[in-house]
Amino acid sequence: MLFALNYEHHYMKAVKTLGQFIIEKQADFPYAKGELSRLLRDVGIAAKIVNRAVNQACLIDIVGDAGTMNVQGETQKLLDVYANEQFISALKSGGECCMIISEENEEHIHIDSAIAKDAKYIVAIDPLDGSTNIDVNVTVGTIFSVYRRKTIETKASLEDVFQQGTHQVAAGYIIYGSSTMLVYTTGKGVNGFTLDPSIGEFCLSHPNMMMPEDGAVYSINEGNLGCFQQGVKLFITYCQETDQASHRPFASRYTGSMVADIHRNLIKGGIFIYPSSADNPNGKLRLLYECNPMAFIIEQAGGIASNGHIRILDIQVNDIHQRSPIFIGSVNMVNKALSML
Ligand code: AHG
Ligand code: MN
Ligand code: MN
């Protein structure tokens, strides 16, 4: 009964789809030609196709290893490969993207088709984030970042992305969780859309998302504790101490999917850390398609992101698969961690 009432209540309200929202926002930019809007639409289409595969999983034999490795030496999952193909194909046929950088491709991909001749945008993408969770039905995601090509006269080149993350024009993630959501920013706040499978549309559910300044959750792979620098160990000990005034001990929550951990912390407050370690001085996560887009979103929601020394978005990128340590989340928690390094 209660469910029926709430359900009806939802459809009594006007539903705003991602497509409608994008067109409405476009009016804020009088000279915009709708190209970025169409690019975001293309990302949304691929997201729905990947969502279908994630939901059907074992039923369509998309779970398990593909038997190949990516450039970082990681085993590719079938769904890594499938998601990569779907996003590349949607961006190719959309005509607004001239170059793609993907976690799953060693080299950047030029799009030379006739419809992409005047395309302005470059997309860096982690098609499937949290791959190790696919086989066990735990939340996975997609992360994307959009750059504008510097000159339209010459072919897009790596120079267009070898710059600082502050030059991103849009960034977002899709979370394939207990419900599927698309969250994105174009530098004017962060908005979240929940996929309503019954109508096949992402509908505005989280307008103007803001991250709490404080939180009571820390997310880090503590199995690696022995390899962390002293300051990170000190911060973990701080999180575990008892202190009523600061609501400690904090809860430890870490899924192995950056998208899931950051989405939870964005809504509830918290910090996500993937630090450097003795073996991996640059940490694990990649700047172009993991750290930078997440840093852009979190900053737009009022949080901060650092590599331990400088703001993530100020790091100069020199390699498409460049890694960086990351401390990201609620402003007071991240500043506390940084003060201990
Ligand atoms: P991907 O599946 O795209 O390779 O990314 C996995 C990332 C990130 O999502 C997660 O937070 C982290 O790797 C987990 O790494 P550990 O298993 O080393 O903690
Ligand atoms: Mn990832
Ligand atoms: Mn991935």
Side-chain angles (χ1 to χ4, degrees), residues 103 126 128-131 221 254 256 258 274 284 286 290:
E103 178 190 356
D126 176 353
L128 217 285
D129 174 66
S131 317
N221 186 342
Y254 188 80
M258 181 193 206
Y274 207 109
K284 173 181 181 185
R286 281 64 49 111
E290 291 175 320

Side-chain angles (χ1 to χ4, degrees), residues 1-120:
M1 186 60 186
L2 187 63
F3 170 75
L5 275 176
N6 285 339
Y7 190 77
E8 261 176 29
H9 173 71
H10 172 67
Y11 283 101
M12 298 290 283
K13 292 193 295 183
V15 170
K16 187 171 289 175
T17 68
L18 176 64
Q20 289 166 339
F21 182 87
I22 287 173
I23 289 169
E24 203 177 285
K25 288 291 153 196
Q26 203 182 304
D28 295 348
F29 305 93
Y31 301 108
K33 298 199 197 112
E35 293 153 327
L36 182 60
S37 304
R38 287 194 290 273
L39 183 95
L40 292 169
R41 172 206 61 190
D42 300 335
V43 169
I45 292 169
K48 285 190 239 180
I49 297 173
V50 171
N51 178 66
R52 183 180 58 192
V54 169
N55 283 181
Q56 295 180 342
C58 291
L59 298 175
I60 54 169
D61 286 333
I62 201 116
V63 160
D65 293 348
T68 46
M69 281 204 180
N70 68 13
V71 58
Q72 6 246 329
E74 298 161 344
T75 306
Q76 287 179 308
K77 299 281 186 181
L78 283 167
L79 208 55
D80 280 323
V81 176
Y82 181 79
N84 194 36
E85 282 168 2
Q86 292 308 318
F87 280 98
I88 291 174
S89 139
L91 290 168
K92 274 188 178 166
S93 39
E96 305 298 348
C97 180
C98 54
M99 193 169 105
I100 302 171
I101 286 145
S102 166
E103 178 190 356
E104 304 306 334
N105 294 80
E106 181 168 3
E107 305 285 346
H108 56 290
I109 302 163
H110 274 293
I111 301 177
D112 291 322
S113 64
I115 53 162
K117 192 167 59 68
D118 298 320
K120 280 196 194 121

Side-chain angles (χ1 to χ4, degrees), residues 263-278:
H263 181 71
R264 180 199 48 250
N265 293 357
L266 166 56
I267 291 176
K268 299 212 163 192
I271 183 170
F272 174 93
I273 304 175
Y274 207 109
S276 58
S277 63

